[in-house]
Amino acid sequence: SRCARYTPDFAMQSHSLTVVDIIRRCGIYPAHIEPRLVSEIHDVLNEVPSIPPTLGSLRRTDGSSANLLCLQGFLPIQYRNSTYNIPLAIYITEWYPNHAPVVLVTPTQSMMIHPKHPYVNEHGFTQVPYMREWNPDRCSIVSLIQVLRVVFSQATPVYARRTPATAQTHEQSQQNSPARPQQNALYQSAGLVTSNSHVNDSGTHSSFGSFTDISLGKLQIHNSTGQVYGNSPSFDSFGSSGMIQSSRREELINKGTELARLELEDARDLAKRRLIELHKQRNQMKSSASEAQKSMIALYKESDDLDARISAAKQEIEALDKWLEENKNKNDDIDTVYNPLDAVSMQIMDAMSTDMANQDMLHVLEEAMDVGLIDLQSYLKEVRKSAREQFYARALIRKIRLNQTEARK
């Protein structure tokens, strides 16, 4: 658009003067509302420069006229990955901001309003849920335009008017321009007008003044020439009740769907957390079962070892009992009971006897020292003597065993 070629600061400054001038020429807006209107118009120009402010005229049912601040132009929307311009006019009544503005879709001569649009009636009067739930503290003109852009992007309110001449021209252009069938098909099937939609059939820009015969509550619209449409039916006669009920039903369905979605998400998150917790518990139980199985295996092995040792001990006890039974009536000398096979075995047995005798001697000396039978000097002399003999005996045993080990190799 032409406004988009200006810098933001310049555009805001030029429109600021225009907005102030329009507000003062209207003479119906309270002084404390003027700063808010100027600020919101600046926000609108930053958001959509193609909807500049202008002076609009409305007439009340009592015959008095009202000059109002009006935003009039094209609203760009995205529909099926393409950009289209929706002509509209937004009237700021004297009840603003306590009441929502009046929004009209103003099709050009080459356009028609969609007959079954959920929020726009056949005369262009627009009533979206955002306007019905208007709150002066939270709502604004720029947010209304954003809502209109979203609503119109989902369901466009206008489509191109088809005439025999335009249909024939379109068919000829289809034949002469076979490289663009997809764009032309979208143009016909969607019934939309592209960025050139603001040019009427005569090749000139539309004045946005020629509105259809419509009455809005206590107001009547007049066109750019000042003509007033009299005896026009009220908006309720256009089927607004059915449209509002349909919109309300759709709104309730959307809210119910959103609540159900949120509840399903909460249930899914809860089930997910529960599943993770159960998974952790299962892993812990698997680890505990593995540890318990290992402990059971170790206990079974230890039990088997103990059974083997008990069996061996029983066999030894039986052998000793048998030997004692066989030798209980014999009076053999203890020194002759065991006869070594060779001199080395005799030498080991003598050394082991000497070691054990000296160990007994050290124990007896310690008890005698405790009871005072010998003095310290005698105790130390006998301990040194017994310890020396015990050391020599143990050294001899170690040497003989090492020689036997080397001989086996």
Side-chain angles (χ1 to χ4, degrees):
S1 66
R2 293 188 296 272
C3 295
R5 292 199 291 265
Y6 295 100
T7 60
D9 293 339
F10 178 79
M12 289 175 60
Q13 183 178 4
S14 61
H15 285 301
S16 175
L17 297 176
T18 304
V19 172
V20 173
D21 183 62
I22 293 173
I23 292 175
R24 292 177 180 175
R25 290 180 63 180
C26 292
I28 61 173
Y29 301 106
H32 67 279
I33 300 299
E34 182 176 331
R36 173 170 177 169
L37 287 174
V38 174
S39 176
E40 291 192 14
I41 297 302
H42 287 175
D43 295 338
V44 170
L45 294 176
N46 289 332
E47 180 76 17
V48 186
S50 58
I51 308 180
T54 185
L55 182 63
S57 180
L58 293 177
R59 178 167 295 180
R60 302 182 179 90
T61 54
D62 59 0
S64 61
S65 61
N67 294 325
L68 301 177
L69 175 63
C70 177
L71 296 172
Q72 188 170 294
F74 293 98
L75 177 64
I77 65 169
Q78 290 291 328
Y79 185 79
R80 296 184 180 179
N81 299 325
S82 298
T83 301
Y84 300 95
N85 294 324
I86 305 299
L88 55 78
I90 302 176
Y91 288 89
I92 315 300
T93 66
E94 62 266 38
W95 303 295
Y96 188 82
N98 294 326
H99 295 274
V102 176
V103 180
L104 287 174
V105 176
T106 59
T108 62
Q109 295 179 0
S110 60
M111 302 180 189
M112 292 184 63
I113 296 179
H114 200 287
K116 296 182 180 180
H117 197 276
Y119 303 114
V120 182
N121 72 353
E122 59 184 359
H123 298 276
F125 181 73
T126 303
Q127 187 80 355
V128 295
Y130 183 82
M131 299 171 66
R132 292 195 298 269
E133 300 175 358
W134 183 269
N135 188 312
D137 297 328
R138 298 193 304 267
C139 300
S140 64
I141 302 175
V142 66
S143 61
L144 172 60
I145 291 177
Q146 293 172 352
V147 171
L148 292 173
R149 174 176 286 179
V150 173
V151 171
F152 290 165
S153 297
Q154 296 175 353
T156 175
V158 295
Y159 63 96
R161 186 189 301 272
R162 293 294 302 275
T163 61
T166 56
Q168 182 178 3
T169 304
H170 175 68
E171 292 177 358
Q172 293 177 357
S173 64
Q174 287 279 16
Q175 297 176 359
N176 297 331
S177 303
R180 299 177 61 186
Q182 183 176 2
Q183 181 179 0
N184 293 333
L186 177 63
Y187 179 90
Q188 294 296 336
S189 62
L192 294 173
V193 182
T194 59
S195 59
N196 293 327
S197 62
H198 59 284
V199 181
N200 57 26
D201 295 338
S202 62
T204 59
H205 291 277
S206 174
S207 63
F208 297 97
S210 300
F211 301 127
T212 54
D213 189 4
I214 182 172
S215 174
L216 305 175
K218 296 182 178 180
L219 301 176
Q220 290 180 330
I221 300 174
H222 31 150
N223 59 8
S224 57
T225 62
Q227 180 182 359
V228 182
Y229 295 95
N231 299 326
S232 58
S234 64
F235 178 67
D236 291 337
S237 65
F238 300 149
S240 64
S241 299
M243 186 181 70
I244 292 176
Q245 291 178 359
S246 177
S247 302
R248 183 60 178 172
R249 182 171 61 254
E250 182 179 355
E251 182 182 356
L252 292 175
I253 292 174
N254 293 335
K255 287 184 178 180
T257 304
E258 182 67 16
L259 290 175
R261 185 183 65 82
L262 293 176
E263 291 181 358
L264 288 176
E265 288 182 355
D266 293 339
R268 183 189 62 184
D269 294 338
L270 180 61
K272 185 177 180 180
R273 290 193 297 268
R274 181 58 179 169
L275 184 62
I276 293 174
E277 182 180 355
L278 291 175
H279 184 69
K280 291 181 179 179
Q281 293 179 358
R282 185 187 66 177
N283 293 336
Q284 292 177 357
M285 293 178 66
K286 284 185 176 180
S287 179
S288 300
S290 178
E291 294 294 332
Q293 187 176 6
K294 291 179 181 179
S295 300
M296 290 296 296
I297 293 173
L299 290 174
Y300 286 137
K301 185 177 180 181
E302 185 177 359
S303 177
D304 293 339
D305 293 340
L306 291 175
D307 291 340
R309 291 172 63 183
I310 291 172
S311 178
K314 288 181 178 180
Q315 292 178 0
E316 292 180 359
I317 292 173
E318 291 177 358
L320 288 175
D321 291 340
K322 183 178 179 180
W323 186 85
L324 292 174
E325 184 66 26
E326 292 177 353
N327 297 280
K328 65 179 181 178
N329 296 323
K330 295 182 179 180
N331 294 321
D332 296 334
D333 187 5
I334 190 64
D335 293 329
T336 62
V337 173
Y338 176 76
N339 295 320
L341 299 177
D342 52 17
V344 176
S345 298
M346 179 64 73
Q347 192 176 10
I348 291 177
M349 189 174 66
D350 291 340
M352 291 179 64
S353 299
T354 302
D355 179 20
M356 297 175 69
N358 283 285
Q359 185 65 33
D360 293 338
M361 182 65 181
L362 291 173
H363 182 68
V364 172
L365 288 172
E366 186 178 356
E367 289 182 350
M369 179 65 183
D370 291 338
V371 298
L373 295 178
I374 59 174
D375 56 6
L376 179 60
Q377 186 176 1
S378 300
Y379 171 75
L380 294 176
K381 182 179 178 180
E382 294 297 330
V383 167
R384 282 195 297 269
K385 180 180 178 181
S386 297
R388 187 182 299 110
E389 292 179 357
Q390 189 180 35
F391 173 76
Y392 288 142
R394 291 183 177 181
L396 179 60
I397 294 171
R398 178 179 176 80
K399 185 176 181 180
I400 293 173
R401 287 179 175 173
L402 289 174
N403 291 334
Q404 289 178 343
T405 302
E406 292 293 334
R408 292 191 186 99
K409 292 181 180 180

